[in-house]
C-alpha cells in the first residue's frame, strides 16, 4: 500500500497534513513479497469502480464482447516485466492475453505475475506471425480491444532525415543497430490485428527520432506510424505526459502516442498529418495533480519519508523487509556524500571538513591549509588526484519536498543522475523504488512477485534479484500512469461502462 493513496479516517487529510496524528508509521509485510505499508489512523479511500467486465456479454472463448468483432482483451509487445500491463489488467480490469519479450528474466516475470497470459519469449521479427495467430485463435477471430507497444530506443538518431539520406548516399552512414527498427514489426502486428485502440510509449526524444523504414529510407517514427496506420482508419495523437501530474511520486516524462479507429471517436477527433502536440489531446487523460485547483505532485517525503532508516556502511537492510535494502558504498563515496547537503552535489563541497577552511575553487581537491582531501568525487592516476569527470547531477542528493528524480536502471549507483537519499547516506532502497515506481501501490489487489527469477549475480540470502528489481522498474512506464491512460480510453470508448 503506497502512502500517497491514504487519507485520515477522521479528517480526510493525508498523513503529513493530518492534525490528528503525526506519528503514524507502522509496517506489515507479506513473505518476501512487495508488501504493504499501513499508517494508522489512516485508511485507503477505495475507488468505487465497478469491474468493466461485469455488465458485458461473454463470448464462448471466455472474453467479453464489445461489438460484432471486438473482444475486451489487451496484448502487449516489448512487454518488459509486464509492469505496464499491471495498470491494464490489475488496474482497469482488461485481461492481457499475450505478451512478447526478448529478455528471459523479464519474460519469466510476466509468466509468474500473469499466469493467464501467453508469453512469446524471443525476437519479435521471428515471433510476430505466431503472436498474431495466437491472438486471433484465442479470441475466436475477434479483434482485441487494445494493443500496447514499448519499443526500445537505443541508438536512435534524432538527426534530420535529409542528413541521414545524405550519409546513406555517400556511404558514410554508420552500421545500424537493428533494435532501433523494432517498431517496424510492432506496426506489422498492429496492421494485422487492427485493435480498436493502440498505445505506443517511449522516451520523449522519440518525437524527433529518425529510423530506416521498411523501404530502407530514413523516416521520422511518428510520420511512419501515421503513414501506415491512417489508411486503416485510425486517428492518432501524440503528446508528452509528465507522470508526476498523475499521482506518480517521481519525475518521468514519456511520449505517449494513442490511436483509435472507432468511427465515433474518429469523427470527433479527426486524423491529422502532424499529430504530435506539446499540449495534451482529448485522447490523453486530464492530469490529477499539479495544476490550478489540483493537489500538488506527491513528494518524496509523502511517499517514503516514514520508512526505517538505512545506511550504506552500517545498516544495509531492514530485518523486517527484505526489499528495504541498499548497496554498500566504499569509504570514499561515503565521505563525499556524508558531507553533501540535501538537494546538493558533492562536486560543490568546497569547504574543508577538517580545518574548516572555506571557499576552495571548484577544481581544487585538497585543502589549501591542511592538505586534507576535500569531500569531492575524485580519482587518482599515477599518484595524482583530480575530480571525477561527470555531470553535476551525479553524486547529488534528492530533495524531500519534491517528487523523486527519474527512476532509471541505475538507481542503485550514486554516480548516476540524482540518486542520493535526501539525508541518509545511501541511495534509494528497493522498497522505495517499488513505491515510487507505483508497483507497490494500493490500487492493485495483489502483490507483484520477483521471487525465484534469476538475474545477475545471485545473493545467497535472497530468493530474488535486487538488480532485476531496479532494472525492470527503471525501464518501465509507471503502472499507475498506464492505469490513468487506459481508464481514460475506456471512458472515451463508452462501451465498457
Amino acid at each position: 500500500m503506497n502512502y500517497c493513496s491514504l487519507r485520515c479516517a477522521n479528517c480526510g487529510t493525508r498523513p503529513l497534513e493530518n492534525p490528528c496524528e503525526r506519528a503514524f508509521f507502522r509496517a506489515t509485510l507479506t513473505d518476501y513479497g512487495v508488501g504493504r505499508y499501513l499508517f494508522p489512523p489512516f485508511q485507503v479511500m477505495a475507488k468505487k469502480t465497478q469491474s468493466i467486465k461485469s455488465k458485458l456479454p461473454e463470448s464462448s472463448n471466455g472474453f467479453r464482447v464489445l461489438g460484432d468483432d471486438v473482444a475486451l482483451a489487451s496484448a502487449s509487445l516489448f512487454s518488459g516485466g509486464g509492469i505496464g500491463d499491471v495498470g491494464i489488467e490489475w488496474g482497469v480490469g482488461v485481461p492481457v492475453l499475450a505478451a512478447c519479450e526478448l529478455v528471459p528474466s523479464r519474460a519469466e516475470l510476466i509468466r509468474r505475475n500473469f499466469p493467464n497470459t501467453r508469453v512469446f519469449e524471443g525476437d519479435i521479427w521471428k515471433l510476430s506471425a505466431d503472436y498474431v495467430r495466437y491472438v486471433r485463435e484465442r479470441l475466436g477471430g475477434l479483434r482485441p480491444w487494445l494493443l500496447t507497444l514499448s519499443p526500445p530506443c537505443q541508438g536512435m538518431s534524432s538527426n534530420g532525415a535529409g542528413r541521414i539520406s545524405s550519409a546513406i548516399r555517400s556511404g558514410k552512414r554508420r552500421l545500424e543497430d537493428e533494435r532501433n527498427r523494432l517498431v517496424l514489426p510492432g506496426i506489422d502486428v498492429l496492421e494485422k490485428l487492427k485493435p480498436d485502440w493502440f498505445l505506443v510509449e517511449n522516451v520523449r526524444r522519440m518525437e524527433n527520432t529518425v529510423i530506416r523504414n521498411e523501404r530502407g529510407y530514413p523516416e521520422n517514427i511518428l510520420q511512419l506510424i501515421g503513414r501506415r496506420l491512417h489508411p486503416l482508419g485510425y486517428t492518432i495523437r501524440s503528446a508528452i505526459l509528465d507522470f508526476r501530474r498523475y499521482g506518480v511520486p517521481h519525475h518521468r516524462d514519456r511520449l505517449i502516442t494513442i490511436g483509435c479507429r472507432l468511427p465515433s471517436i474518429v469523427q470527433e477527433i479527426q486524423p491529422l498529418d502532424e499529430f504530435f502536440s506539446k499540449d495534451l489531446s482529448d485522447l490523453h487523460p486530464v492530469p490529477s495533480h499539479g495544476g490550478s485547483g489540483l493537489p500538488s505532485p506527491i513528494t518524496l517525503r509523502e511517499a517514503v519519508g516514514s520508512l526505517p532508516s538505512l545506511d550504506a556502511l552500517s545498516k544495509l537492510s531492514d530485518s523486517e523487509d527484505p526489499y528495504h535494502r541498499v548497496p554498500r558504498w566504499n569509504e570514499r563515496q561515503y565521505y563525499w556524500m556524508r558531507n553533501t547537503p540535501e538537494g546538493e552535489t558533492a562536486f560543490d563541497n568546497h569547504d574543508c571538513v577538517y580545518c574548516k577552511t572555506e571557499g576552495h575553487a571548484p577544481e581544487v581537491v585538497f585543502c589549501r591549509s591542511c592538505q586534507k582531501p576535500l569531500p569531492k568525487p575524485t580519482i587518482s592516476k599515477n599518484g595524482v588526484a583530480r575530480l571525477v569527470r561527470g555531470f553535476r547531477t551525479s553524486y547529488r542528493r534528492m530533495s524531500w519536498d519534491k517528487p523523486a528524480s527519474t527512476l532509471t536502471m541505475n538507481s542503485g549507483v550514486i554516480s548516476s543522475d540524482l540518486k542520493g537519499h535526501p539525508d541518509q547516506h545511501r541511495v534509494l532502497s528497493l522498497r522505495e523504488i517499488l513505491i515510487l515506481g507505483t508497483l507497490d501501490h494500493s490500487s492493485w489487489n495483489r502483490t507483484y512477485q520477483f521471487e525465484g527469477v534469476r538475474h545477475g549475480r545471485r545473493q545467497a540470502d535472497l530468493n530474488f534479484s535486487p538488480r532485476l528489481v531496479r532494472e525492470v522498474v527503471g525501464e518501465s512506464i509507471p503502472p499507475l500512469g498506464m492505469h490513468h491512460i487506459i481508464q481514460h480510453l475506456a471512458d472515451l470508448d463508452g462501451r465498457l461502462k
Side-chain angles (χ1 to χ4, degrees):
M1 182 182 300
N2 192 358
Y3 161 81
C4 44
S5 62
L6 303 177
R7 295 292 186 271
C8 176
N10 300 320
C11 66
T13 59
R14 291 198 297 223
L16 290 178
E17 303 165 349
N18 178 42
C20 302
E21 182 179 355
R22 291 186 182 275
F24 54 84
F25 177 75
R26 154 171 90 82
T28 60
L29 297 162
T30 57
D31 294 341
Y32 285 85
V34 169
R36 292 291 183 265
Y37 282 85
L38 304 179
F39 303 79
F42 302 93
Q43 64 181 11
V44 178
M45 304 296 284
K47 295 180 180 178
K48 297 180 180 179
T49 56
Q50 289 184 315
S51 170
I52 60 177
K53 301 178 182 180
S54 59
K55 298 182 179 181
L56 300 171
E58 186 169 337
S59 68
S60 59
N61 57 14
F63 290 92
R64 307 291 173 172
V65 179
L66 298 179
D68 294 336
D69 63 344
V70 178
L72 183 59
S74 175
S76 64
L77 299 172
F78 319 105
S79 307
I83 307 302
D85 290 330
V86 166
I88 298 172
E89 182 168 310
W90 298 7
V92 184
V94 178
V96 179
L97 65 94
C100 186
E101 173 55 38
L102 176 66
V103 182
S105 60
R106 276 63 162 176
E108 184 59 25
L109 285 174
I110 301 172
R111 294 188 187 96
R112 290 173 183 256
N113 288 282
F114 296 87
N116 297 321
T117 298
R118 171 70 180 274
V119 180
F120 290 80
E121 180 182 332
D123 186 350
I124 188 174
W125 291 100
K126 300 176 181 177
L127 294 175
S128 61
D130 292 338
Y131 184 95
V132 170
R133 187 181 307 112
Y134 172 79
V135 171
R136 285 173 171 169
E137 292 176 355
R138 185 71 178 83
L139 295 179
L142 301 178
R143 295 183 294 108
W145 182 71
L146 172 70
L147 183 67
T148 62
L149 303 86
S150 300
C153 58
Q154 296 95 332
M156 286 184 177
S157 172
S158 58
N159 292 328
R163 182 175 178 180
I164 293 181
S165 296
S166 176
I168 292 173
R169 288 192 298 269
S170 64
K172 296 179 180 179
R173 184 177 60 83
R174 293 181 300 174
L175 292 176
E176 187 171 35
D177 186 338
E178 281 297 315
R179 292 176 300 178
N180 299 347
R181 306 178 68 235
L182 286 172
V183 69
L184 296 177
I187 293 175
D188 291 341
V189 172
L190 264 172
E191 289 176 329
K192 291 179 173 63
L193 292 179
K194 299 181 179 66
D196 279 351
W197 297 88
F198 74 81
L199 181 149
V200 182
E201 67 93 9
N202 214 296
V203 294
R204 60 182 301 159
R205 69 175 178 270
M206 182 177 163
E207 169 206 348
N208 297 315
T209 296
V210 174
I211 64 168
R212 184 167 53 90
N213 64 20
E214 74 277 8
R215 302 168 182 169
Y217 298 108
E219 187 173 14
N220 175 276
I221 286 184
L222 294 185
Q223 293 175 355
L224 185 155
I225 290 173
R227 172 176 60 81
R228 292 185 56 173
L229 297 180
H230 278 150
L232 299 181
Y234 286 100
T235 188
I236 307 170
R237 294 294 187 272
S238 187
I240 295 168
L241 267 61
D242 178 354
F243 285 114
R244 292 175 299 183
R245 303 200 63 197
Y246 297 90
V248 175
H250 78 272
H251 182 274
R252 198 169 196 93
D253 291 340
R254 303 292 279 186
L255 181 68
I256 304 298
T257 303
I258 297 171
C260 179
R261 66 194 304 267
L262 293 173
S264 59
I265 301 292
V266 175
Q267 183 176 5
E268 183 176 346
I269 306 172
Q270 297 189 358
L272 299 173
D273 290 336
E274 300 290 336
F275 51 79
F276 171 79
S277 174
K278 294 182 179 179
D279 299 319
L280 297 180
S281 76
D282 290 338
L283 295 184
H284 294 87
V286 175
S288 59
H289 291 71
S292 177
L294 297 176
S296 298
I298 298 166
T299 67
L300 184 62
R301 188 191 304 274
E302 290 175 308
V304 301
S306 295
L307 270 64
S309 297
L310 298 175
D311 188 271
L313 282 185
S314 62
K315 188 180 181 183
L316 299 180
S317 63
D318 177 9
S319 61
E320 300 297 323
D321 179 4
Y323 282 85
H324 194 38
R325 63 175 54 244
V326 296
R328 181 181 295 276
W329 284 349
N330 62 44
E331 295 282 353
R332 300 174 72 218
Q333 291 171 324
Y334 197 89
Y335 170 58
W336 303 333
M337 297 307 299
R338 183 185 66 198
N339 293 286
T340 302
E342 176 186 344
E344 302 297 329
T345 174
F347 286 113
D348 287 342
N349 291 336
H350 303 314
D351 300 338
C352 180
V353 298
Y354 295 98
C355 71
K356 310 305 180 185
T357 300
E358 300 179 350
H360 293 84
E363 69 276 7
V364 173
V365 298
F366 289 100
C367 176
R368 62 176 175 268
S369 298
C370 69
Q371 304 305 309
K372 296 283 189 178
L374 299 175
K376 298 180 180 182
T378 58
I379 189 172
S380 295
K381 185 175 182 180
N382 298 325
V384 178
R386 63 166 175 80
L387 282 177
V388 170
R389 293 190 179 96
F391 296 104
R392 288 175 52 81
T393 50
S394 63
Y395 297 99
R396 182 180 288 273
R397 291 186 183 274
M398 300 181 196
S399 298
W400 270 127
D401 296 319
K402 297 178 181 179
S405 65
T406 302
L407 302 181
T408 68
M409 295 172 67
N410 290 324
S411 64
V413 181
I414 189 58
S415 60
S416 187
D417 290 348
L418 265 167
K419 296 299 182 285
H421 188 278
D423 55 29
Q424 297 172 30
H425 309 323
R426 60 180 180 87
V427 294
L428 296 177
S429 73
L430 301 179
R431 172 66 61 201
E432 290 162 336
I433 294 297
L434 292 168
I435 293 173
L436 295 170
T438 68
L439 190 54
D440 180 359
H441 195 272
S442 60
S443 294
W444 326 132
N445 60 3
R446 68 197 80 173
T447 296
Y448 190 95
Q449 298 291 329
F450 286 93
E451 290 69 39
V453 181
R454 299 280 302 270
H455 182 69
R457 182 180 301 175
R458 184 177 179 84
Q459 293 184 223
D461 59 334
L462 297 177
N463 67 343
F464 65 90
S465 166
R467 175 183 168 186
L468 183 61
V469 175
R470 292 187 184 276
E471 289 184 357
V472 168
V473 175
E475 70 190 7
S476 302
I477 183 173
L480 184 63
M482 182 68 90
H483 183 186
H484 277 286
I485 297 169
I486 304 307
Q487 185 61 59
H488 177 66
L489 302 188
D491 293 341
L492 285 177
D493 191 298
R495 297 171 296 172
L496 282 63
K497 296 179 179 179

